Amino acid sequence: MELKYVGDMPIISQHGVSFDKTQPDRYKFLYAGVELLEALSYGESKTTQHLYKAQDKELSPNELMAIIKKYIKNIDEVFTLCDHKAHEFIHDIVNRVKANDSLTQDEKTAWLENIKIMRAYYYQYIINQNAYEAVLEVLGDEIQDAKIEEVRVPMYKNYPAVLNDLVGVLERRKAAIDSQVKIEKTSEGLVAKLIVTHS
C-alpha cells in the first residue's frame, strides 16, 4: 500500500463521474496531521508549554509513510482493513446498480463501467482516509495521555482543519474529552487554538 493524492470523493452514475468538493482527499491533511503528531509526541514532561516550529517543506509520500509507521505500529493492519473496506464499498455500489429496476440495461452497463474505471481511485481515496484517521487517533492518544490542554497552530497548511477533526476524535473516546477550536488574533497573525478540558 502507498500514499498518494487522488482528489475529491468521486460521485459515479450512469452519466459519468463528478467529484464532491465537500469530501476532499484526506491526503491533503496528512502532512499537517503528521507534523502535529511529531510536535505533540514529547512524552511525559514537567513543562506545560512546548514550542514547535512548523516546517516549510512538503513531505514526499514515502517520507509521510515513514513518519506514520514510526507512530502507528499496526499501520499494515490499518491498510489491510482499508483494502477490505474499499472492496465492500465498491461491491455494495455494484449490487445497488444491478438491483436498480428504474435503470435500463444500457444505463446499468454505463454505470458499472464508470465504477470499473474509478476502482483504483476509490481504493486510494479510502487508503488516504484511513491513514489520516489513524493519525488522528494517535494524536488523540497523545493529547489524552499527556493531558495537553491547548494546541496553537498557524492558519495555513490545513492545521485548523486537523484541529477541527480532532474535536470529533476526542468526543468519541470511551471517556469523552471536551474540546473546541477557537480563532485568535495575535501580533503574528491569526492562529487556531484547540482548547481541551480533561476530566
Side-chain angles (χ1 to χ4, degrees), residues 153-156 183-192:
V153 295
M155 290 289 290
Y156 66 92
I183 307 302
E184 184 180 275
K185 189 173 183 178
T186 69
S187 59
E188 297 174 359
L190 292 175
V191 297

Side-chain angles (χ1 to χ4, degrees), residues 100-152:
N100 190 337
D101 293 331
S102 67
L103 296 171
T104 66
Q105 190 55 47
D106 285 345
E107 287 173 322
K108 286 183 183 183
T109 301
W111 201 331
L112 293 171
E113 278 302 311
N114 290 336
I115 292 168
K116 194 181 198 180
I117 291 166
M118 295 301 291
R119 182 180 294 267
Y121 186 106
Y122 265 126
Y123 270 82
Q124 192 62 54
Y125 182 89
I126 291 170
I127 286 167
N128 294 347
Q129 181 175 329
N130 281 25
Y132 177 62
E133 288 170 0
V135 166
L136 287 177
E137 286 299 328
V138 175
L139 271 169
D141 292 343
E142 294 292 344
I143 288 169
Q144 185 173 6
D145 295 346
K147 298 271 192 274
I148 295 169
E149 295 178 357
E150 185 178 298
V151 178
R152 291 173 180 244

